[in-house]
Amino acid sequence: MVRLTLDLIAKKSNLKPRKEETTLQYLKKITHINFSAKNIDAIEDLSLCKNLSVLYLYDNCISQITNLNYATNLTHLYLQNNCISCIENLGSLKKLEKLYLGGNYIAVIEGLEGLEGLRELHVESQRLPLGEKLLFDPRTLHSLAKSLSILNISNNNIDDIRGLEILENLNQLIAVDNQLLHVKDLECLLNKLMKLWKMDLNRNPVCLKPKYRDRLILVSKSLEFLDGKEIKNMERQFLMNWKASKDAKKISKKRNSMNEDISNSYISNFETMHHIVPVYYPQVGKPKLVFFSDTQRYLANGNASPESSQEDNPKIIEDMGNLSLKKSESLLTKNDVREPHLLHNSKVKENVFVKNQ
């Protein structure tokens, strides 16, 4: 195994020092270091590389992120395909813009608090134990909420990404080969990520859901590419028109249903507000219903006092009901009418007064 040291950098660098330059002066000039696939297993102190901005260390055997504290001008760090299990010791890299950590053993995205300039984070294809999924520390997500614009979390067994809604400036999300299942969760996420213009969810179970693509296009006005396929204006306009037509039909159906309920309620109230007795007249032979309110009947009978009317009301109702029933039975017997008569008594103040023609 090989350790990354200042001597190794000075020997292997493509930039050769001038004759009059010291090693220290030369190291201060270096801006890019590329030691990818060199069997590097540890990083020594690089504090003398004051102007280092890009460091390529992918495809090595590094197990810990160390000795980068003083590389304060570092903007790009490539550490994919190593043996890293924890994101650490990066808090002082205030200028870091792009961080590549794919293909490691990281189980939790954490330790990025303070990296307020980080724009890209690539943590795809972590080598996790069977059944485990990549998790996100809420503190890290909160610290990246304003800055992060590109996030790659592909192939990490992730089944829920609703926590990413805090990343308000995210414009590209790559999450292929995961276990995302619910379209509704994605709709909620897209409602929050107003600047997202590219999303790739290929090879997730959710892609097989009915109307998956249509629903996501309708919920996001900013989305321009979905699963590698461009969303054209004609496609979006067609879906918007279709949804507007569908919503209009729903509103119309709901309005008709409400009107029908009101009509049925009116009829039901009318029936329960009256005391109904079918009356048969010998001259006609057909039933006739006659309705009188309590007030009309008492006025017709000359009752002066409402109080006395209320006191006598139960007895009068009973007497009138008996009279009406007896009279109807008598008329039916005389005319040999064998149809059944009905009597419907309601517990309300409306009564029926039977009048012979």
Side-chain angles (χ1 to χ4, degrees), residues 199-336:
M199 183 165 71
D200 195 347
L201 303 177
N202 273 309
R203 296 183 294 280
N204 275 274
V206 71
C207 298
L208 302 176
K209 297 286 185 178
K211 302 290 184 184
Y212 151 78
R213 180 177 174 88
D214 295 350
R215 288 173 63 178
L216 296 190
I217 292 173
L218 282 169
V219 81
S220 174
K221 294 181 179 179
S222 63
L223 207 58
E224 297 177 15
F225 287 86
L226 178 59
D227 300 340
K229 185 179 178 182
E230 183 181 1
I231 301 169
K232 296 184 178 179
N233 290 334
M234 184 179 295
E235 181 183 9
R236 177 174 271 118
Q237 191 59 52
F238 171 80
L239 290 172
M240 290 175 65
N241 293 340
W242 170 80
K243 186 177 185 298
S245 175
K246 187 177 178 181
D247 291 345
K249 287 179 181 178
K250 282 184 180 180
I251 293 171
S252 178
K253 185 176 180 181
K254 186 176 180 181
R255 187 183 292 115
N256 291 338
S257 178
M258 289 176 63
N259 291 338
E260 185 178 347
D261 290 343
I262 292 170
S263 177
N264 291 337
S265 175
Y266 176 80
I267 293 171
S268 176
N269 291 337
F270 177 80
E271 289 176 350
T272 56
M273 287 174 64
H274 295 83
H275 177 87
I276 303 173
V277 177
V279 180
Y280 292 83
Y281 292 98
Q283 298 88 335
V284 179
K286 294 182 179 179
K288 183 177 181 181
L289 302 180
V290 183
F291 301 91
F292 287 90
S293 67
D294 286 340
T295 305
Q296 290 170 325
R297 181 161 55 81
Y298 291 130
L299 288 174
N301 292 337
N303 291 324
S305 168
E307 292 80 359
S308 62
S309 300
Q310 293 173 2
E311 292 173 2
D312 297 336
N313 192 40
K315 187 174 185 307
I316 291 171
I317 291 171
E318 185 180 355
D319 291 342
M320 290 302 298
N322 292 335
L323 274 171
S324 300
L325 191 56
K326 288 178 181 179
K327 187 68 176 178
S328 297
E329 290 174 350
S330 175
L331 291 171
L332 286 170
T333 302
K334 290 181 182 180
N335 291 277
D336 196 22

Side-chain angles (χ1 to χ4, degrees), residues 36-291:
S36 58
K38 300 294 184 183
N39 288 322
I40 303 294
D41 66 336
I43 306 170
E44 292 288 339
D45 184 10
L46 302 181
S47 58
L48 294 179
C49 300
K50 299 291 186 181
N51 291 306
L52 182 63
S53 60
V54 180
L55 178 58
Y56 298 96
L57 290 174
Y58 58 85
D59 295 335
N60 281 299
C61 304
I62 298 168
S63 59
Q64 280 187 305
I65 304 173
T66 57
N67 293 316
L68 294 178
N69 303 39
Y70 297 100
T72 53
N73 287 312
L74 200 64
T75 59
H76 296 58
L77 179 57
Y78 296 82
L79 288 169
Q80 61 267 44
N81 301 323
N82 278 281
C83 301
I84 299 166
S85 59
C86 181
I87 304 174
E88 56 187 345
N89 302 319
L90 295 176
S92 62
L93 306 182
K94 302 299 183 182
K95 296 183 180 181
L96 192 64
E97 298 177 2
K98 298 183 181 182
L99 177 59
Y100 292 81
L101 289 168
N104 281 286
Y105 294 86
I106 298 166
V108 182
I109 304 304
E110 59 184 348
L112 300 178
E113 294 83 355
L115 302 185
E116 297 177 354
L118 192 65
R119 295 188 293 107
E120 295 187 25
L121 177 60
H122 301 262
V123 289
E124 72 283 357
S125 302
Q126 297 301 314
R127 288 172 275 184
L128 301 172
L130 187 64
E132 289 193 17
K133 60 184 179 180
L134 186 67
L135 302 174
F136 298 88
D137 186 336
R139 293 170 297 182
T140 286
L141 290 177
H142 187 268
S143 69
L144 301 177
K146 303 282 186 186
S147 64
L148 200 65
S149 60
I150 298 175
L151 176 62
N152 187 348
I153 53 172
S154 299
N155 191 28
N156 282 311
N157 203 34
I158 297 171
D159 58 6
D160 188 359
I161 55 174
R162 286 175 293 181
L164 302 181
E165 63 185 25
I166 195 173
L167 304 175
E168 59 186 66
N169 287 312
L170 195 68
N171 56 55
Q172 295 185 50
L173 175 62
I174 302 98
V176 303
D177 288 314
N178 279 297
Q179 298 299 320
L180 300 174
L181 184 62
H182 302 294
V183 180
K184 191 171 183 179
D185 290 349
L186 297 177
E187 289 177 323
C188 293
L189 180 67
L190 288 174
N191 271 323
K192 299 290 185 179
L193 302 181
M194 306 299 292
K195 296 182 180 180
L196 192 71
W197 63 269
K198 180 180 180 180
M199 183 165 71
D200 195 347
L201 303 177
N202 273 309
R203 296 183 294 280
N204 275 274
V206 71
C207 298
L208 302 176
K209 297 286 185 178
K211 302 290 184 184
Y212 151 78
R213 180 177 174 88
D214 295 350
R215 288 173 63 178
L216 296 190
I217 292 173
L218 282 169
V219 81
S220 174
K221 294 181 179 179
S222 63
L223 207 58
E224 297 177 15
F225 287 86
L226 178 59
D227 300 340
K229 185 179 178 182
E230 183 181 1
I231 301 169
K232 296 184 178 179
N233 290 334
M234 184 179 295
E235 181 183 9
R236 177 174 271 118
Q237 191 59 52
F238 171 80
L239 290 172
M240 290 175 65
N241 293 340
W242 170 80
K243 186 177 185 298
S245 175
K246 187 177 178 181
D247 291 345
K249 287 179 181 178
K250 282 184 180 180
I251 293 171
S252 178
K253 185 176 180 181
K254 186 176 180 181
R255 187 183 292 115
N256 291 338
S257 178
M258 289 176 63
N259 291 338
E260 185 178 347
D261 290 343
I262 292 170
S263 177
N264 291 337
S265 175
Y266 176 80
I267 293 171
S268 176
N269 291 337
F270 177 80
E271 289 176 350
T272 56
M273 287 174 64
H274 295 83
H275 177 87
I276 303 173
V277 177
V279 180
Y280 292 83
Y281 292 98
Q283 298 88 335
V284 179
K286 294 182 179 179
K288 183 177 181 181
L289 302 180
V290 183
F291 301 91

